[in-house]
Amino acid sequence: MMLQTNEKDNKKIEYIALYCRVDSANSQVNTLGILTQKKRLALWAEQQGFTPEQIIYLVDSGFSGRTLNRPGIQKFLSGDRKYAIMAAVDFSRFSRDLFLADELIDYADTQGTTLYVLNQDISLNQWKRERDQRLYALLKGGAAQ
């Protein structure tokens, strides 16, 4: 995991990104509204041992999950800060497109960041590796027949 230097006390600390997204203002009132997502993610981060100074919220309100052209995701993709983990409440918060999700996971891997989904209790990085291994085995087995 990558560590960041806290310039205030020159101590190395790990950062965690808590990612929240809704696609419209109407989504604010449903069960996955931004405030609900923030509360669930903050509680989870605390249970994992992260402190408030380690938490960075990346929020995209009013943006579709079918694109990576969202301010919060772009901030992550800019690489200006390294995160040990980037967590979302649900897979659909990260992306509603499997190909774009793969791009996001690949980028996270290059940065040493684990993408984690609370509702499914999975690391997307691990999920993609296992899925790719199954696809490779299927193709290899299929080609031999």
Side-chain angles (χ1 to χ4, degrees), residues 102-144:
D102 277 352
E103 287 181 28
L104 192 60
I105 295 165
D106 289 344
Y107 177 78
D109 274 341
T110 67
Q111 297 298 304
T113 301
T114 298
L115 295 183
Y116 189 80
V117 180
L118 272 63
N119 283 352
Q120 288 82 17
D121 190 25
I122 59 169
S123 155
L124 293 181
N125 312 60
Q126 184 64 33
W127 168 80
K128 183 179 185 301
R129 280 189 288 279
E130 290 171 2
R131 186 198 71 202
D132 289 351
Q133 289 168 356
R134 286 191 304 272
L135 287 173
Y136 176 76
L138 179 66
L139 291 172
K140 186 176 178 186

Side-chain angles (χ1 to χ4, degrees), residues 19-24 27 30-34 37 40-41 60 62-68 70 73 86-98 100-101 104-105 115-122 124 127:
Y19 182 70
C20 307
R21 183 189 66 77
V22 293
D23 59 2
S24 69
S27 298
N30 75 17
T31 58
L32 277 182
I34 295 293
Q37 291 177 55
R40 287 187 61 198
L41 289 164
D60 287 324
F63 290 89
S64 169
R66 298 194 186 280
T67 178
L68 295 180
R70 299 175 254 155
I73 291 293
M86 182 172 172
V89 171
D90 190 79
F91 179 87
S92 66
R93 300 305 89 201
F94 281 127
S95 181
R96 290 194 175 272
D97 180 295
L98 191 56
L100 293 177
L104 192 60
I105 295 165
L115 295 183
Y116 189 80
V117 180
L118 272 63
N119 283 352
Q120 288 82 17
D121 190 25
I122 59 169
L124 293 181
W127 168 80

Side-chain angles (χ1 to χ4, degrees), residues 2-73:
M2 302 297 282
L3 300 178
Q4 290 289 314
T5 300
N6 180 339
E7 295 176 16
K8 184 172 111 181
D9 59 11
N10 202 28
K11 180 174 95 176
K12 297 223 184 240
I13 62 173
E14 292 179 311
Y15 288 101
I16 181 172
L18 301 181
Y19 182 70
C20 307
R21 183 189 66 77
V22 293
D23 59 2
S24 69
N26 292 338
S27 298
Q28 291 291 342
V29 296
N30 75 17
T31 58
L32 277 182
I34 295 293
L35 291 178
T36 302
Q37 291 177 55
K38 280 185 170 183
K39 287 178 185 176
R40 287 187 61 198
L41 289 164
L43 178 61
W44 177 83
E46 180 182 299
Q47 291 169 344
Q48 303 309 306
F50 287 93
T51 64
E53 77 172 355
Q54 294 173 285
I55 296 172
I56 307 293
Y57 290 95
L58 301 177
V59 177
D60 287 324
S61 184
F63 290 89
S64 169
R66 298 194 186 280
T67 178
L68 295 180
N69 191 16
R70 299 175 254 155
I73 291 293

